[in-house]
Amino acid sequence: MTGTTYGWLVLLFPLLGSFVIALGWRVLPERAAGWIGTAAIGLSFLCGLGALEDLLDKPAEAQHLTDSLWTYAEGGGLDIQLGILVDPLSVFMVLVVTGVSTLIHLYSVAYMASDRGYRRFFSLLNFFVFSMLLLVLAGNFVLLIVGWAFVGFTSYALISFWYRRRTATAAGMKAFVINVAGDVGLVLATILIFREIGSFEFDDVFERAPDAFTTNEWTVVAICLLLLVGAFAKSAQAPLHTWLPDAMEGPTPVSALIHAATMVTAGVYLIARTHPLFEVAPTAADVAAIVGLVTLLIAGSIALVVTDLKRIIAYSTMSQIGYMVMGVGIGAYGAGLFHLMTHAFFKALLFMAAGSVIAAMANRQDIDRMGGFRRAMPFTGAALIIGSLALSGFPGTSGWFSKDEILSFAGERGGAYWVFAVLGYLGALITAIYSFRLVFRVLWGEPVEEARELERGHIAHAEAANPATGEPEDTGVGFPGPEHHIAEHTAPMRIAMGVLAALAVVGGLVQIPGVTDVIGTFLEPTFEDSKFAGVHPSTGDEWIGLVIGGLLSITGIAIAHLLYVRRLGTSARLAARLRPVHTFLANKWFFDELLDLLFVRPALAVGSFANRTFERYVVDGLVAATVGVVRGAGGAVRAAQSGFVRAYALLLIGGFAGLGLYFLVVSS
Amino acid sequence: MEQVAFFFGAIGALGGAIAVIALRNPFYSVLALVIHLFSLAGLFLLLHSEFVAAAQVVVYAGAVMVLYVFVVAYVGGAHEPVWEPIPGQRVLAPLLAAALFAELSIAVLGSSLKGLGDEGPTIPLGFGQPADIGELLLEKFLIAFEAASMLLLLSAVAAVVLAGKKQGPPAADAEV
Amino acid sequence: MATEWYVVLSSLLFAVGAGGVLIRRSPLVILLCLELMLNAGNLALVAFSRMLGDADGQIFAVIVMVVAACEVVVGLGLIVAIYRRRLPLDIDELRGLRG
């Protein structure tokens, strides 16, 4: 079977799985939904491996397969195909997405077991994976947009999965609206591309881009900036990032899959895929890198003070994607994608562990109420520690290798790009501090009541309540199920977390500088046309960077240990002393309020104007006026139907006389 | 001589017609119409249509008008109220009638019909005689003849139905 | 007399009949005026028949008489039915078919 056939199969299985689960709800037992979903993604992963094998058989120049199923639209200068592109970049993304998705599906089989929306969950999750795969396998901009939009939809559907929870639906709408704003950018970019180059196919566009545009010509910069709008909305970069923390309203597996490993990386993929365009417009690439850096720091600073477990991890995601965006913005495509892969591993692991902890806490997520789970949850605790080590870039973990590859590249480019490297390392320090703040808060210290209950063998129970607002809920449909599942008790969760933990530890070994360069060589065929293909820090420089990164990571862990274990209370005192700073950070840099002021209020004002004035007076007025006219005309005509026979006779004879007069006049 | 007869007939017809519309008592209107019909019969004679004249007297003035007399006797002559509910009717009606007359006259007189100005060609001997009419009815206009007889049958049935006893409860206030 | 005299007389009678239909309010008299109009038509027919020397016009006049007779029968039947239902015999009062 050829690579493209594998490509189509990769798309087919999740779609089929989604439909079978959705349509077979009467026939299939509930448990089957989970296994069908997991199997579908597993099969997709295997087909991804098949495509990989087929690619590797070919020489580098030929590792670029396209195939089209049918033509969407043809004529009038348009030629839109339902076509996929199988090359190293897309296969890489396919493997990462399907691999991590399989593990998350497995985790969800146990985690969502008592939820009444079990089938809906797996159907949507499968459809999400299908959309994401469509996005990465698309061979032209139109199909990319289709996948992009589907991903946005499924993200919305899954964030508001517990749809009777007011905060969840609000979060879903927020995510969707911001995503759509990004979609607008993407669509406008596509239109501009078509206008300038005349084709939607990736091959055509990227081949002709260097010739069609002069460097930094305003059209190509506009195109790239619009692409960035789309990428930033999807990848939650400032200022379009406000939806991501709220998206934690969705179930934990959703956060793990969509908001850590896959959907939020779509923006990174987009920039990497359209790198020929970005290289013709270095200004836009620099904008991307700067935004990535800024987001990195903002998110890191917020993660230092928020107290909701999942939101800390969400801000950490935002920060790490800032690294990736920065990486692909400065031209380190391979490094950025490598970090994407490792991040998928350890972030999914962290979310899974967080899910376990939340279950133990009877669905409460406030870390101020947690503590001392070390003895009660050994496995989850270990997973949490491993994930955090990888996140902080502890020497030896996958995160260490991937993060520093990006930063060394920045240093290698030299000049003003040193700023990226320096601030990137600062961000790494902050990352280490907040990730171990989480670890020490949750695992160390005096065991809280829930932990003690767990040590005695059963999970704590509390009244079902909204973790964000505390208002009571019931556990019927549209709300989380009544049972809580932790990793220690359920095998699927343990298996998934175990695999990811292993990958988080050894995943970096594929890119040891000077020793192995698996990902770099694999992705070479896609990026060989890049200006930066030859830029490569020397092995010595890379190892220096690694050492610095490792030291910073250890320092950060030590600081966190100091603040949260040895001298408890320091952070509270700091918060009291630097109250304005603390408030600023705790309120997420007031981004929500800013966007509310700039966009939400004007939109609401326009809407209320439209409703109260325009609709009432203009539209209704027009309709009422039409009705009035018709009624009036009807009334006027009705007056002729008086019922008086003599009046009718009068009209008859009068008409006849008039007609006769007319004919007499005409014929004379 | 012929002109004198024409004018007598014309005055009779016109007078009868005006009397029909002017007299208040319906019974008198019926009688006026009878006079009108007789005058018309005379005019028909002048036009060499003996059979039609005879039919006019026997059928029309004889049968139809007698029927009218019966109904008027049964129904009675109600006096019409003075107030006119339809605005402008009293004014427009004579106006329109006059306009109608004017137009028709102009149309006929202004037309280029040959033979309007003279008395007509010499007619064969049997013109207008019953034999002639009968021949035409049974040969050239057979279908019209049969249709007319069908129509008469229908109207006879209609008369029976209309005048028959009502079935079911009477609706005294029902509008027609 | 020339044919035109008869035709003008016929149109005059027709106009009188039409005016009568418009003016009078008793259904009986209105029917009478309708008879006037029909007879005016008959007169014109017979006059033209004489003018053309063709007896077809007279046949037409005879058929018109038949039709008039039938119409009178039905009309008078209606009037009798109205009278029997104690409704006013005034054509302005009988306006149930108003729009």
Side-chain angles (χ1 to χ4, degrees):
Chain A
M1 287 217 269
T2 62
T4 45
T5 322
Y6 279 120
W8 290 116
L9 286 176
V10 163
L11 285 175
L12 178 68
F13 285 124
L15 187 63
L16 213 57
S18 172
F19 280 165
V20 165
I21 297 172
L23 296 173
W25 64 279
R26 275 186 205 271
V27 185
L28 301 166
E30 189 160 350
R31 304 285 307 159
W35 295 115
I36 292 177
T38 316
I41 312 295
L43 284 171
S44 243
F45 179 69
L46 292 174
C47 292
L49 288 175
L52 174 70
E53 193 196 324
D54 189 71
L55 265 192
L56 291 176
D57 276 341
K58 298 186 163 45
E61 314 80 52
Q63 286 184 12
H64 188 97
L65 310 165
T66 52
D67 189 28
S68 161
L69 260 191
W70 71 70
T71 315
Y72 261 155
E74 208 173 347
L78 284 176
D79 184 17
I80 307 178
Q81 304 279 330
L82 185 70
I84 58 171
L85 169 65
V86 176
D87 76 344
L89 176 59
S90 50
V91 170
F92 176 80
M93 292 296 297
V94 165
L95 288 174
V96 169
V97 169
T98 48
V100 176
S101 300
T102 316
L103 295 169
I104 295 177
H105 273 81
L106 188 60
Y107 177 87
S108 315
V109 166
Y111 188 77
M112 301 289 292
S114 70
D115 199 306
R116 281 177 60 177
Y118 192 73
R119 280 185 255 251
R120 177 165 54 102
F121 183 78
F122 276 98
S123 176
L124 282 171
L125 212 61
N126 263 26
F127 191 75
F128 167 78
V129 177
F130 163 73
S131 323
M132 189 70 201
L133 293 171
L134 188 64
L135 200 161
V136 300
L137 279 172
N140 58 51
F141 277 99
V142 175
L143 207 56
L144 176 78
I145 293 175
V146 172
W148 197 270
F150 277 166
V151 167
F153 158 67
T154 34
S155 165
Y156 156 78
L158 285 166
I159 294 173
S160 15
F161 183 71
W162 289 319
Y163 53 85
R164 291 223 182 277
R165 212 181 244 183
R166 199 176 31 87
T167 45
T169 49
M173 282 195 276
K174 185 173 179 179
F176 195 69
V177 169
I178 298 183
N179 259 288
V180 168
D183 285 357
V184 169
L186 188 58
V187 170
L188 285 175
T190 310
I191 294 174
L192 275 178
I193 289 175
F194 183 71
R195 204 185 77 145
E196 296 295 319
I197 297 189
S199 167
F200 289 110
E201 299 290 320
F202 284 157
D203 289 343
D204 295 337
V205 174
F206 299 149
E207 243 177 71
R208 295 187 222 160
D211 308 315
F213 303 111
T214 55
T215 316
N216 271 337
E217 188 184 331
W218 75 270
T219 32
V220 70
V221 171
I223 290 174
C224 291
L225 287 176
L226 286 167
L227 285 173
L228 284 179
V229 168
F232 292 158
K234 195 67 81 182
S235 297
Q237 301 295 288
L240 296 165
H241 66 277
T242 46
W243 63 273
L244 189 57
D246 289 2
M248 297 299 118
E249 290 282 341
T252 308
V254 168
S255 308
L257 180 60
I258 301 184
H259 306 124
T262 40
M263 182 179 115
V264 289
T265 57
V268 180
Y269 165 77
L270 181 70
I271 301 177
R273 174 61 81 193
T274 54
H275 68 267
L277 289 171
F278 277 94
E279 290 183 3
V280 185
T283 320
D286 289 339
V287 168
I290 293 171
V291 170
L293 181 67
V294 167
T295 309
L296 196 164
L297 295 170
I298 292 178
S301 65
I302 301 178
L304 285 173
V305 297
V306 282
T307 52
D308 184 312
L309 179 62
K310 283 174 74 173
R311 275 167 181 74
I312 297 178
I313 308 181
Y315 282 109
S316 144
T317 306
M318 205 188 294
S319 182
Q320 295 304 305
I321 296 184
Y323 272 106
M324 294 178 222
V325 170
M326 188 175 84
V328 291
I330 61 177
Y333 305 114
L337 290 165
F338 178 43
H339 194 58
L340 193 155
M341 184 180 90
T342 58
H343 174 261
F345 296 151
F346 57 72
K347 195 49 63 67
L349 177 65
L350 275 174
F351 268 114
M352 288 184 183
S356 197
V357 171
I358 292 171
M361 287 287 298
N363 268 354
R364 282 193 291 263
Q365 297 173 199
D366 192 348
I367 63 170
D368 285 339
R369 300 177 61 162
M370 299 180 194
F373 272 97
R374 240 182 330 162
R375 265 188 297 277
M377 302 177 78
F379 185 82
T380 308
L384 206 56
I385 292 176
I386 293 176
S388 299
L389 284 173
L391 176 56
S392 321
F394 192 79
T397 57
S398 55
W400 186 45
F401 289 109
S402 60
K403 200 179 297 185
D404 286 286
E405 208 175 311
I406 298 176
L407 298 173
S408 334
F409 192 95
E412 180 65 24
R413 276 196 67 179
Y417 290 93
W418 270 109
V419 178
F420 289 114
V422 169
L423 291 175
Y425 279 118
L426 176 64
L429 179 66
I430 299 178
T431 307
I433 299 177
Y434 69 64
S435 46
F436 272 87
R437 166 178 178 244
L438 194 155
V439 168
F440 291 136
R441 264 293 169 77
V442 173
L443 300 177
W444 261 251
E446 265 304 306
V448 291
E449 204 183 300
E450 286 84 359
R452 271 179 271 135
E453 269 202 57
L454 202 51
E455 284 174 43
R456 272 175 262 147
H458 56 86
I459 304 179
H461 260 290
E463 260 200 43
N466 187 330
T469 60
E471 43 185 65
E473 308 173 334
D474 69 68
T475 53
V477 68
F479 285 118
E483 287 167 23
H484 307 307
H485 306 273
I486 61 171
E488 277 72 11
H489 292 173
T490 46
M493 287 166 77
R494 271 208 307 275
I495 299 174
M497 288 164 77
V499 172
L500 282 174
L503 284 172
V505 172
V506 305
L509 297 176
V510 292
Q511 283 279 102
I512 305 178
V515 182
T516 54
D517 193 24
V518 176
I519 300 204
T521 20
F522 176 60
L523 290 174
E524 221 179 277
T526 311
F527 296 114
E528 57 190 355
D529 58 349
S530 155
K531 285 194 293 210
F532 306 106
V535 174
H536 215 80
S538 66
T539 317
D541 285 338
E542 285 208 27
W543 277 103
I544 295 175
L546 281 171
V547 168
I548 297 176
L551 285 174
L552 283 173
S553 149
I554 297 175
T555 316
I557 298 176
I559 296 175
H561 193 258
L562 189 72
L563 288 176
Y564 297 106
V565 181
R566 289 244 296 275
R567 294 205 209 145
L568 275 179
T570 322
S571 61
R573 280 200 301 272
L574 268 175
R577 283 252 292 263
L578 301 169
R579 184 143 298 270
V581 177
H582 181 88
T583 321
F584 185 66
L585 292 178
N587 277 307
K588 305 163 275 177
W589 288 51
F590 291 111
F591 261 108
D592 276 319
E593 287 74 7
L594 181 69
L595 288 177
D596 181 58
L597 198 66
L598 281 179
F599 297 110
V600 178
R601 297 231 186 128
L604 285 176
V606 169
S608 88
F609 167 76
N611 185 38
R612 255 185 267 119
T613 312
F614 194 73
E615 175 80 14
R616 185 174 301 177
Y617 295 118
V618 177
V619 176
D620 277 354
L622 258 174
V623 171
T626 316
V627 169
V629 164
V630 171
R631 222 180 242 162
V637 173
R638 208 187 310 130
Q641 298 286 325
S642 54
F644 290 123
V645 174
R646 295 192 297 140
Y648 300 160
L650 185 68
L651 286 173
L652 193 80
I653 293 179
F656 181 72
L659 213 61
L661 185 64
Y662 167 72
F663 279 116
L664 280 181
V665 166
V666 161
S667 63
S668 67
Chain B
M1 191 56 210
E2 205 189 322
Q3 279 93 320
V4 173
F6 172 76
F7 273 109
F8 266 124
I11 287 169
L14 203 55
I18 291 173
V20 164
I21 71 172
L23 292 171
R24 290 289 128 197
N25 197 337
F27 190 69
Y28 294 157
S29 299
V30 171
L31 292 177
L33 190 67
V34 172
I35 294 177
H36 167 88
L37 290 171
F38 269 105
S39 314
L40 273 187
L43 287 175
F44 287 157
L45 278 176
L46 275 175
L47 287 169
H48 294 274
S49 325
E50 290 88 1
F51 179 76
V52 181
Q56 174 93 332
V57 171
V58 170
V59 170
Y60 228 128
V64 176
M65 283 303 123
V66 168
L67 181 60
Y68 255 108
V69 166
F70 278 140
V71 173
V72 167
Y74 178 58
V75 165
H79 281 280
E80 293 179 15
V82 183
W83 176 70
E84 174 65 64
I86 307 169
Q89 185 88 346
R90 285 264 162 86
V91 174
L92 278 175
L95 235 75
L96 282 178
L100 205 58
F101 167 61
E103 282 174 21
L104 282 171
S105 309
I106 296 172
V108 167
L109 295 177
S111 73
S112 53
L113 275 172
K114 294 196 309 281
L116 260 186
D118 55 54
E119 286 189 19
T122 335
I123 42 176
L125 204 56
F127 182 79
Q129 299 295 331
D132 191 27
I133 302 291
E135 240 180 77
L136 278 175
L137 269 179
L138 288 173
E139 287 176 8
K140 196 167 164 192
F141 297 105
L142 182 61
I143 294 179
F145 177 62
E146 295 299 334
S149 48
M150 192 81 68
L151 185 62
L152 281 168
L153 175 67
L154 285 175
S155 66
V157 171
V160 170
V161 166
L162 277 172
K165 280 218 175 64
K166 328 166 226 180
Q167 316 273 358
D173 289 345
E175 294 203 326
V176 176
Chain C
M1 294 296 290
T3 316
E4 59 199 2
W5 289 91
Y6 291 96
V7 178
V8 168
L9 176 64
S10 150
S11 52
L12 185 58
L13 290 174
F14 186 82
V16 167
V21 165
L22 295 177
I23 293 266
R24 296 302 295 262
R25 292 173 73 163
S26 167
L28 267 175
V29 180
I30 290 180
L31 275 173
L32 287 176
C33 298
L34 277 173
E35 296 305 311
L36 275 182
M37 288 157 78
L38 278 167
N39 278 295
N42 263 359
L43 179 61
L45 274 168
V46 172
F48 279 125
S49 146
R50 171 70 181 86
M51 181 186 98
L52 294 171
D54 196 342
D56 291 359
Q58 296 179 18
I59 305 291
F60 204 146
V62 170
I63 304 290
V64 166
M65 261 189 248
V66 169
V67 169
C70 298
E71 165 238 326
V72 162
V73 161
V74 174
L76 289 178
L78 271 175
I79 290 175
V80 165
I82 292 172
Y83 181 77
R84 288 244 292 260
R85 276 169 178 70
R86 294 173 177 53
L87 293 166
L89 264 182
D90 180 342
I91 204 154
D92 286 342
E93 297 293 325
L94 301 167
R95 47 187 161 88
L97 284 178
R98 71 171 296 166

